[in-house]
Amino acid sequence: MWPRLVANKILGKRLSNNSFVADFPDDAKTCGLLDISSLGQPSLRGNTILNQREDNLHDYNVFVSTWNVGGVAPQENLDIAGLLDSPNNICDIYVFGFQEIVPLRASNVLGSENSKISMKWNSLIREALNKKIQYCLEKQEYNRKQLGIRTQKPSFIEDEKTLFQSSTIPEDFRCIICKQMVGILISVWIRSDLRPYVRHPSVSCVGCGIMGCLGNKGSVSVRFQLHETSFCFVCSHLASGGREGDEKLRNSDVAEIFSRTSFHRRPSLDLPRNILDHDRVILLGDLNYRVSLPEATTRLLVDRKEWDALLDNDQLRMGLRDGQVFEGWHEGLIKFAPTYKYCLKSNVYSGCAEGQKGGKGRAPAWCDRIIWYGEGLEQHLYTRGESNLSDHRPVKAMFTAEVQVSSTIKGLQKFFLSERFDQITTKSERTLSDRYLCKSRSGFKF
């Protein structure tokens, strides 16, 4: 019976590897709707405003978080606002990674995927992002009243860079990819006004757990293209264990993930196939790397908050330095306490509370990490949250990502905001009713 279950699980994973959940795009209900999501492709020709081929770099803010929730199902009233960035900030892209959203028992590892828990997490994320938007709108309105500024129609903007900055508050956020493999879940959200510029979303799952192939450990990688730049986010849960030599198992998992992750690619499209082929790459998750010091020494240094002394012996930091597995990867400065292992519903590390001295020793460690590969990413925030739902603390980071935006789109936007376009539409107003004109003009989405 067991070989049959395992075979069915492996086969099922292969068949469902490319499927994922996402929000449906809006229907084009507005009169005069202009769909420019495919602009900038080689098929465009002609000596027009669309025929500009130079690419331009623009900055987008990307928020990334990871959290091992220890198999604890979220309650309906769970507030995950602490998992997000500052209430005053709104990023362009939000990436949420989770590990152990279900207990890693045999029925979950070998049985069919249960999407109820992932749907709960996605619902909480949507609610938190909507609250953030509402907060910013209320604060914006308050500031306007304080300054006595009335809402006015935006005038022509000379600096074209402001067309792509995230200074405006979005209408909402859309989930473009949500994928679960056993206990690993990754959910990617983007501003609704940027949704038309997202193309070629894809996923790839790699199991590194039982028998070296099941999904109790491994990774779920997602990729998409925003404008002309490809993104890849790898949510991982690596081999556990604090004994000497266990870091080699984690290094082996990383090597397997890099070599076995493969994204679907159509023959007619030149898209990245492997993780490191993408323009912007971020790896997040419970990487399980520990501090290579005796437990008593580790606990003493944690009590003294001597993070640098601990990080000098951190296995991941040593791996980043020697470059054997993580060549070309980077991590920001760690100025926060180790994220593992805590007593449940407590701010006390496991093994430190009274009555736990004889229990299983798990020395504190920075198991939960966010690292990035290559160029084009600048980190502005790297910290942890304080939710005590599980024995891990969530970790979050914020980046500025350089994105190539085709000047085809820039030319279109400049045209629609120009006096020439106003002259054209002014002539049209003579034959169109005010109501129809209003619908037509509001239908252009950039």
Side-chain angles (χ1 to χ4, degrees), residues 62-67 95 97 99 233-234 281-287 316-317 320 329-334 336 366-373 377 379 381-384 394-399:
V62 181
F63 176 84
V64 181
S65 71
T66 178
W67 192 11
V95 180
Q99 302 81 43
F233 297 94
V234 185
V281 182
I282 295 178
L283 187 149
L284 56 137
D286 179 2
L287 307 187
L316 178 58
R317 282 295 171 97
L320 291 169
W329 287 85
H330 313 279
E331 186 180 29
L333 292 176
I334 293 179
F336 51 88
W366 287 277
C367 290
D368 310 277
R369 311 289 273 270
I370 299 172
I371 61 178
W372 73 94
Y373 177 78
L377 289 166
Q379 191 179 74
L381 172 75
Y382 194 28
T383 186
R384 59 174 246 176
V395 171
K396 50 190 176 181
M398 191 168 72
F399 300 86

Side-chain angles (χ1 to χ4, degrees), residues 277-294:
D277 294 336
H278 291 78
D279 299 316
R280 311 288 178 257
V281 182
I282 295 178
L283 187 149
L284 56 137
D286 179 2
L287 307 187
N288 258 321
Y289 285 102
R290 310 301 171 91
V291 177
S292 294
L293 288 173

Side-chain angles (χ1 to χ4, degrees), residues 370-435:
I370 299 172
I371 61 178
W372 73 94
Y373 177 78
E375 306 298 328
L377 289 166
E378 182 181 357
Q379 191 179 74
H380 302 287
L381 172 75
Y382 194 28
T383 186
R384 59 174 246 176
E386 298 302 330
S387 174
N388 60 6
L389 180 71
S390 75
D391 54 358
H392 289 253
R393 294 296 180 264
V395 171
K396 50 190 176 181
M398 191 168 72
F399 300 86
T400 296
E402 290 183 348
V403 174
Q404 282 192 335
V405 179
S406 173
S407 56
T408 294
I409 298 176
K410 282 188 64 180
L412 247 175
Q413 292 188 328
K414 183 176 180 180
F415 173 71
F416 286 132
L417 292 173
S418 66
E419 293 180 1
R420 180 184 171 192
F421 182 71
D422 287 339
Q423 292 172 359
I424 294 173
T425 54
T426 300
K427 293 179 181 179
S428 301
E429 288 176 3
R430 299 173 184 175
T431 56
L432 295 174
S433 68
D434 290 342
R435 180 179 179 185

Side-chain angles (χ1 to χ4, degrees), residues 175-314:
C175 179
I176 59 171
I177 303 175
C178 180
K179 179 65 176 179
Q180 176 187 357
M181 181 184 74
V182 188
I184 302 174
L185 172 69
I186 185 168
S187 185
V188 183
W189 297 70
I190 195 165
R191 294 166 58 104
S192 56
D193 53 327
L194 288 178
R195 179 62 184 88
Y197 307 108
V198 174
R199 294 172 291 166
H200 314 306
S202 183
V203 300
S204 179
C205 299
V206 173
C208 300
I210 301 171
M211 299 175 60
C213 60
L214 296 187
N216 55 307
K217 293 291 190 294
S219 69
V220 178
S221 301
V222 302
R223 78 101 186 273
F224 60 90
Q225 185 170 319
L226 175 60
H227 290 295
E228 307 303 319
T229 298
S230 59
F231 285 80
C232 181
F233 297 94
V234 185
C235 184
S236 303
H237 192 185
L238 305 184
S240 60
R243 294 173 297 182
E244 184 178 353
D246 283 345
E247 69 275 10
K248 295 179 181 178
L249 299 177
R250 293 183 272 276
N251 292 341
S252 176
D253 284 352
V254 172
E256 285 288 301
I257 290 167
F258 288 166
S259 64
R260 288 167 51 192
T261 298
S262 179
F263 293 100
H264 176 71
R265 181 171 62 183
R266 297 177 183 177
S268 59
L269 297 174
D270 185 19
L271 297 173
R273 194 173 189 88
N274 302 316
I275 291 174
L276 302 185
D277 294 336
H278 291 78
D279 299 316
R280 311 288 178 257
V281 182
I282 295 178
L283 187 149
L284 56 137
D286 179 2
L287 307 187
N288 258 321
Y289 285 102
R290 310 301 171 91
V291 177
S292 294
L293 288 173
E295 182 179 342
T297 304
T298 299
R299 292 188 184 276
L300 179 62
L301 292 174
V302 168
D303 290 339
R304 295 176 177 176
K305 298 184 179 181
E306 296 185 15
W307 309 143
D308 290 341
L310 287 164
L311 288 167
D312 286 341
N313 296 276
D314 178 81

